[in-house]
Amino acid sequence: MEPREFIWQNGEFVSWNDARVHVLTHALHYGTGVFEGVRAYDSELGPAIFRGKAHFDRLHKSAELYHMQIPQSPAELLKITKELITRNGLSSCYIRPVAFRGYGEIGLFPLNSDVDVAIAAWEWGAYLGEEGKSKGIRTKISKWRRMSGDSFIPQSKANGQYLNSVLAKVESHEAGYDEAILLDVDDNVCEGSGENVFVVKDGTLITPPLSAPILEGITRDSIMTIARDLDIEVVERNIPRDELFEVDEFFLTGTAAEICPVREVDDRAITDGCGEITAVLQQKYDDAVHGRLPQYHGWLDVVSMEKPAQV
Ligand code: PPE
């Protein structure tokens, strides 16, 4: 991660190295925080945040599910993010907003600790590698299950819950694979460590429903919209583990990973490189985020590159 000049923290733009927390920060001990991953692209309309409103709305929703009140509204956070991008002279970047229980009290009751908020942004390339994005990645079905709604709130993008993803990610990495696929407790294909999953079967796009323990991915929603606009049938239903070996194509979606083809699961080939429908959707997504498709301009929040007067 290449440091930039500023990070926004609790109402101020501070220098990158000064954006610090106390070691007794509540979230550091108990994982009591929520976060987002957002991207901005150097689009035809100028640098633009992709689906910023949806991301900041989800940050608020994640927080509320864990009894946290974020002091700034989603619209305010979006405005701050635009200024952060401008001040840092960025155009294409990854944006990481985080809201967490801060310093004050230790102990599991969190409601007396303030909610701190920070937003950082930096340049971040292909999450699963450029080659993975074009030729497909090799995945392993993890022995770790995606957390169930009986123990956590899978719909919340909460910091502490990511220990589940970390276990699966490390396991797949140590075994020599690019990414982990997590099943849910009922043996359905659920998510990647940080991505939603899609398969293509007989020309139909299939993805787990929102009743499954998944994060309601914003890239997932964008791909379903793009597919329907292309007259590709989209079905939200559970995908039993064994069905994975009968699919024609398989890909992952996420803000960081974007649209990433999966060419292998547990050493069995699914496609030789990127599947045909996956390639079409990947191209359309790339066109949408870069403002090349006017019908999706509503997804872009253009950032003014004029630096604020005081900088
Ligand atoms: N599931 C999980 C568990 C997840 O973390 C992400 C995003 C998604 C699905 C896809 O959601 P969306 O980005 O709205 O399409 N993962 C973020 C964090 C990755 C990281 O390594 O950190 C991301 O892609 O930014």
Side-chain angles (χ1 to χ4, degrees):
M1 179 173 43
E2 181 83 13
R4 304 301 302 200
E5 203 173 348
F6 297 108
I7 287 179
W8 181 87
Q9 190 179 20
N10 294 328
E12 282 177 81
F13 290 93
V14 298
S15 14
W16 181 280
N17 288 328
D18 292 336
R20 296 171 186 278
V21 295
H22 195 279
V23 292
L24 293 176
T25 295
H26 198 273
L28 201 53
H29 296 250
Y30 308 116
T32 42
V34 296
F35 71 104
E36 268 304 318
V38 192
R39 274 192 192 269
Y41 292 89
D42 199 5
S43 85
E44 305 255 296
L45 311 175
I49 300 170
F50 187 65
R51 303 200 64 177
K53 184 178 181 310
H55 281 285
F56 287 113
D57 282 349
R58 188 172 67 184
L59 185 73
H60 266 254
K61 179 180 153 190
S62 294
E64 280 156 22
L65 288 168
Y66 276 105
H67 316 289
M68 290 167 57
Q69 288 282 317
I70 298 180
Q72 302 78 14
S73 69
E76 281 166 338
L77 293 170
L78 186 56
K79 189 163 170 260
I80 291 162
T81 304
K82 288 185 184 178
E83 188 174 340
L84 181 73
I85 291 174
T86 311
R87 284 183 183 240
N88 281 322
L90 286 159
S91 50
S92 187
C93 59
Y94 185 78
I95 301 150
R96 170 54 56 86
V98 60
F100 54 97
R101 294 278 178 194
Y103 172 80
E105 263 183 37
I106 283 294
L108 283 168
F109 184 75
L111 304 188
N112 295 328
S113 302
D114 288 343
V115 174
D116 289 352
V117 188
I119 308 176
W122 64 90
E123 283 175 338
W124 201 7
Y127 184 68
L128 294 165
E130 274 305 334
E131 199 182 310
K133 221 173 126 182
S134 59
K135 298 196 178 135
I137 57 165
R138 298 177 57 246
T139 63
K140 174 178 167 52
I141 296 183
S142 179
K143 75 166 191 272
W144 299 100
R145 302 298 172 121
R146 167 82 176 161
M147 76 196 80
S148 94
D150 295 336
S151 304
F152 282 102
I153 309 174
Q155 298 77 17
S156 174
K157 202 167 164 58
N159 299 164
Q161 296 184 168
Y162 274 79
L163 284 174
N164 184 213
S165 293
V166 166
L167 286 171
K169 184 80 193 178
V170 171
E171 181 202 20
S172 66
H173 180 268
E174 297 297 289
Y177 297 85
D178 302 311
E179 184 54 295
I181 304 297
L182 288 86
L183 305 178
D184 65 20
V185 292
D186 298 317
D187 261 357
N188 294 309
V189 180
C190 196
E191 292 204 310
S193 69
E195 306 89 9
N196 290 112
V197 297
F198 281 87
V199 299
V200 179
K201 209 175 163 184
D202 302 326
T204 299
L205 200 55
I206 309 166
T207 194
L210 296 180
S211 54
I214 61 170
L215 185 71
E216 187 173 349
I218 293 161
T219 322
R220 173 187 181 275
D221 179 74
S222 308
I223 281 299
M224 292 199 300
T225 303
I226 291 171
R228 287 183 175 128
D229 290 347
L230 291 170
D231 285 330
I232 296 171
E233 193 188 350
V234 182
V235 175
E236 291 175 78
R237 67 153 169 85
N238 284 322
I239 306 166
R241 172 205 181 113
D242 295 345
E243 193 178 342
L244 262 196
F245 303 109
E246 293 166 12
V247 301
D248 303 320
E249 300 180 33
F250 184 11
F251 64 90
L252 304 177
T253 65
T255 299
E258 302 174 301
I259 315 305
C260 187
V262 175
R263 67 181 158 87
E264 240 180 77
V265 180
D266 283 352
D267 304 312
R268 294 170 73 130
I270 295 203
T271 36
D272 181 17
C274 183
E276 224 172 281
I277 292 181
T278 308
V280 170
L281 294 171
Q282 194 185 46
Q283 183 59 51
K284 286 280 174 196
Y285 182 78
D286 195 67
D287 289 342
V289 300
H290 288 98
R292 294 189 285 262
L293 299 172
Q295 83 234 58
Y296 304 122
H297 279 177
W299 283 343
L300 303 179
D301 275 293
V302 178
V303 178
S304 151
M305 287 319 277
E306 266 173 57
K307 292 218 173 194
Q310 69 269 30
V311 178

